[in-house]
Amino acid sequence: MGAQTVLDQMTLYPVADDVLFAPGGRVVIRTYGVASAATGEGAHTPVSYRTWVTGVRDQPRYWRWGHFEDACHGHRKVLEWLTGRGPQPVAAAA
């Protein structure tokens, strides 16, 4: 199954996007909800939330959150960590 096929079976819900410019380059922080595509009328699929950071130490980093509110708070915590105003965040327990 190719990457595009997998993406076609998922629904992404944007929560927050930020870009920081640092001496080493651009850092992108994206938080979004991910759910499998609904398969029927009124189908309910659970949403999991993730924050992805690219441009830090040449490797993407990510955190998982259990709920929308956790994702919003977690996104802010990641920004605080990247700008030196807070500790590295810990993802919510699954």
Side-chain angles (χ1 to χ4, degrees):
M1 186 180 300
Q4 188 61 41
T5 304
V6 172
L7 287 175
D8 290 342
Q9 296 175 2
M10 296 172 28
T11 302
L12 300 178
Y13 302 98
V15 174
D17 285 320
D18 283 288
V19 177
L20 300 174
F21 294 97
R26 186 173 81 143
V27 177
V28 178
I29 305 98
R30 287 202 166 101
T31 300
Y32 54 87
V34 180
S36 297
T39 57
E41 188 77 25
H44 176 71
T45 58
V47 178
S48 63
Y49 295 90
R50 293 181 178 92
T51 298
W52 279 91
V53 176
T54 55
V56 174
R57 296 183 188 111
D58 299 325
Q59 294 183 355
R61 295 177 171 261
Y62 75 96
W63 290 260
R64 291 178 188 246
W65 315 107
H67 303 282
F68 177 81
E69 294 80 14
D70 296 335
C72 292
H73 183 70
H75 185 92
R76 285 191 302 274
K77 290 298 215 178
V78 170
L79 282 173
E80 289 173 4
W81 169 63
L82 289 170
T83 57
R85 292 181 271 169
Q88 182 173 356
V90 177

